[in-house]
Amino acid sequence: MRFTLRLRKIKPRRKTINRKSHRPEPMEPSSSSEWKLTVTEQDQRAVESEVFHIYHLLYNIPPNSQSVMLELQRDKHIEFLDNGLRHLGPSYTVLDSNRPWICYWILHSIALLGDSVDFGLECNAIDFLSRCQDRDGGYGGGPGQMPHLATTYAAVNSLITLGGHRSLASINRRKIHSFLRRMKHISGGFSMHDGGEVDVRACYTAISVASILNILDEELVQGVGNYIVSCQTYEGGIAGEPGSEAHGGYTFCGLATMILIDEVNRLDLANLTDWLVFRQGVEGGFQGRTNKLVDGCYSFWQGGAAMLIQRLHASTGDRHNSMGSNEDSTSSELSDDEEEGMPTYYAYRCRASFSNSCAAAICSLVLTGGRRVQR
C-alpha cells in the first residue's frame, strides 16, 4: 500500500492594523495570558498581610500598652525552660536523637536570661550528657547512639555553660580530639558522623569544639578554609557544600569557622554582606534563602552573621594587636594530669592564636554564649 502526503497551502493571516499609527492593535488579554501570582508570591503576601496587621494593632494602642506587649516575660520563660529540662511531653519523642540539643537550647536560653538551674538539675544534666559520650570520643544524640559532630557541639557547649569542676571534668578532650580527627575528610571538610555527609555545618561544629577545648591543631585546620571558600556562591552567601544554594545557616557556620581559623579575609566579605542585608524582608524578619519566607530561626543565623561582620569591621584598625606573645602558641598538647582525669583546663577559651582582639570577642560570642567559666 502506498501513502501519498499532500501539503495544503495555508493562507497567511492578515494582521489587524491601526490605520492611524500603522501599528498592530494591542491584544486583548485572554485567560491563558493573564498574569497570576505564583504560590511563593501568594505565601509571601499572606505573611506580609499578617505581620502588618500585628504592626498596625501595636501602633494604634497606647504607649503603656505597647511597652507591656513588647516586654520579655523573663520569669515565664525561665519557668517554661526549667520545666522542659525536667520533663517533656510525648510529642518530643521525634527528637530522641537530638537530646543533647534540647539540653543546649534550654541551658543556653536560661544563661542568656541571666539565671541558672538548681544543683540537682545541674547534676542530672551532667550525668545524662556523660552517658551520651561515646567510649571512642564524641557525643551521640542519646545514650548508646553513634557520636555525631552536631550533638558533640551541643553537649560540649551545654557542659561549658553549666561550668564547674564536675561538668568540665566529664569532657574527655583526648578522645574528642581523636573523634574529630576521624571525622576529617579528604576534601578539607568534616563528616558529620562516621560515613555521614560532608558540609559547612560539620566544619563549624568540629572547629568550634576543637577551639573551645583548646585542642585545635594544624591537622584539623588543614584544608578547611579551601573547602569553605569553594562553598561561597555568586550571590555572596555560603552554601552547605560546593555547587549548592547560599543559605543563612551555612553562611553563619562558614563565616564563624573562617574567623576561628583566622582565614576570614579569604572570603568575599563585601559580597557576603550584600547578600546578608538583602535577606531581611519588609516584615523585619530574615529569610534563609532568596525568595523564601521569613523565619524566626534565621533571625539568629542571619543576625549572628551580621554581628560577626560588625565585629570584624570594628576591629579593622586594630587587627595586628596581639593578645600576648605567650598565648600565640598553636600547641594542643594534653597534660599528663588530664590523662589521669585531673582537669587542668578550667580556662576553656577561644584559641589565642587568632591574631586580633576581635577574634577573641567573636569566639566568646559564638561559642560560650552563657555564663563564663571561672578562671
Side-chain angles (χ1 to χ4, degrees), residues 2-6:
R2 187 167 59 180
F3 294 91
T4 304
L5 181 63
R6 295 183 178 181

Side-chain angles (χ1 to χ4, degrees), residues 346-363:
Y346 294 118
Y348 277 121
R349 64 187 185 279
C350 307
R351 295 289 297 160
S353 58
F354 311 146
S355 60
N356 54 70
S357 58
C358 158
I362 291 173
C363 192

Side-chain angles (χ1 to χ4, degrees), residues 34-46:
E34 286 179 351
W35 179 73
K36 294 182 179 180
L37 292 175
T38 65
V39 174
T40 301
E41 289 170 326
Q42 292 173 16
D43 291 343
Q44 176 63 34
R45 292 195 179 187

Side-chain angles (χ1 to χ4, degrees), residues 251-319:
T251 297
F252 172 87
C253 289
L255 177 62
T257 303
M258 294 297 274
I259 292 171
L260 292 173
I261 64 175
D262 199 23
E263 295 184 25
V264 68
N265 287 330
R266 295 184 60 192
L267 293 172
D268 184 347
L269 291 175
N271 203 17
L272 190 152
T273 303
D274 285 344
W275 177 84
L276 182 64
V277 297
F278 280 107
R279 299 286 68 74
Q280 186 172 29
V282 293
E283 311 92 336
F286 284 90
Q287 58 184 192
R289 292 177 286 160
T290 304
N291 289 331
K292 295 295 182 179
L293 299 177
V294 295
D295 188 317
C297 76
Y298 293 113
S299 292
F300 172 82
W301 295 118
Q302 308 287 34
M307 179 61 73
L308 296 183
I309 291 174
Q310 185 180 31
R311 292 289 186 92
L312 286 171
H313 283 300
S315 68
T316 300
D318 161 63
R319 285 190 56 83

Side-chain angles (χ1 to χ4, degrees), residues 120-139:
L121 199 54
E122 178 179 323
C123 290
N124 289 340
I126 295 170
D127 290 340
F128 168 73
L129 291 171
S130 296
R131 287 186 285 117
C132 294
Q133 189 167 202
D134 189 79
R135 63 182 180 180
D136 294 323
Y139 290 79

Side-chain angles (χ1 to χ4, degrees), residues 33-338:
S33 63
E34 286 179 351
W35 179 73
K36 294 182 179 180
L37 292 175
T38 65
V39 174
T40 301
E41 289 170 326
Q42 292 173 16
D43 291 343
Q44 176 63 34
R45 292 195 179 187
V47 171
E48 290 178 9
S49 176
E50 185 175 353
V51 172
F52 292 157
H53 176 68
I54 296 172
Y55 287 161
H56 180 75
L57 292 176
L58 182 65
Y59 180 78
N60 286 285
I61 61 176
N64 290 341
S65 299
Q66 289 182 9
S67 299
V68 172
M69 288 186 65
L70 295 175
E71 181 182 351
L72 182 68
Q73 303 297 318
R74 178 179 176 275
D75 293 340
K76 291 183 178 179
H77 283 302
I78 292 174
E79 181 182 0
F80 171 79
L81 293 165
D82 189 87
N83 290 337
L85 201 56
R86 297 176 188 276
H87 176 74
L88 292 172
S91 61
Y92 286 88
T93 55
V94 295
L95 296 176
D96 180 65
S97 61
N98 292 279
R99 293 165 72 184
W101 275 112
I102 296 175
C103 294
Y104 170 75
W105 292 325
I106 293 176
L107 292 170
H108 191 68
S109 297
I110 291 174
L112 289 174
L113 291 169
D115 206 351
S116 59
V117 297
D118 61 47
F119 180 73
L121 199 54
E122 178 179 323
C123 290
N124 289 340
I126 295 170
D127 290 340
F128 168 73
L129 291 171
S130 296
R131 287 186 285 117
C132 294
Q133 189 167 202
D134 189 79
R135 63 182 180 180
D136 294 323
Y139 290 79
Q145 297 184 28
M146 73 163 59
H148 192 284
L149 278 177
T151 46
T152 297
Y153 172 91
V156 167
N157 280 279
S158 296
L159 292 165
I160 291 175
T161 300
L162 287 172
H165 178 92
R166 185 166 182 265
S167 178
L168 300 180
S170 71
I171 303 173
N172 192 321
R173 296 167 69 232
R174 181 176 294 281
K175 288 189 175 181
I176 287 181
H177 183 255
S178 176
F179 168 64
L180 296 178
R181 290 178 62 185
R182 295 200 308 272
M183 295 304 103
K184 186 68 177 177
H185 191 262
I186 57 173
S187 65
F190 289 84
S191 300
M192 289 301 294
H193 57 85
D194 188 19
E197 66 273 27
V198 178
D199 56 31
V200 171
R201 174 186 49 147
C203 294
Y204 170 64
T205 50
I207 293 298
S208 60
V209 165
S211 176
I212 202 168
L213 294 182
N214 202 23
I215 55 175
L216 188 62
D217 58 22
E218 292 299 325
E219 182 181 352
L220 295 177
V221 171
Q222 186 177 9
V224 171
N226 292 338
Y227 181 81
I228 293 176
V229 168
S230 72
C231 294
Q232 186 169 23
T233 75
Y234 71 94
E235 289 185 280
I238 298 173
E241 57 186 7
S244 295
E245 183 181 8
H247 183 281
Y250 292 116
T251 297
F252 172 87
C253 289
L255 177 62
T257 303
M258 294 297 274
I259 292 171
L260 292 173
I261 64 175
D262 199 23
E263 295 184 25
V264 68
N265 287 330
R266 295 184 60 192
L267 293 172
D268 184 347
L269 291 175
N271 203 17
L272 190 152
T273 303
D274 285 344
W275 177 84
L276 182 64
V277 297
F278 280 107
R279 299 286 68 74
Q280 186 172 29
V282 293
E283 311 92 336
F286 284 90
Q287 58 184 192
R289 292 177 286 160
T290 304
N291 289 331
K292 295 295 182 179
L293 299 177
V294 295
D295 188 317
C297 76
Y298 293 113
S299 292
F300 172 82
W301 295 118
Q302 308 287 34
M307 179 61 73
L308 296 183
I309 291 174
Q310 185 180 31
R311 292 289 186 92
L312 286 171
H313 283 300
S315 68
T316 300
D318 161 63
R319 285 190 56 83
H320 301 292
N321 288 345
S322 165
M323 296 176 64
S325 58
N326 292 333
E327 294 184 346
D328 284 340
S329 171
T330 58
S331 171
S332 62
E333 294 291 329
L334 302 180
S335 69
D336 293 336
D337 289 338
E338 289 176 289

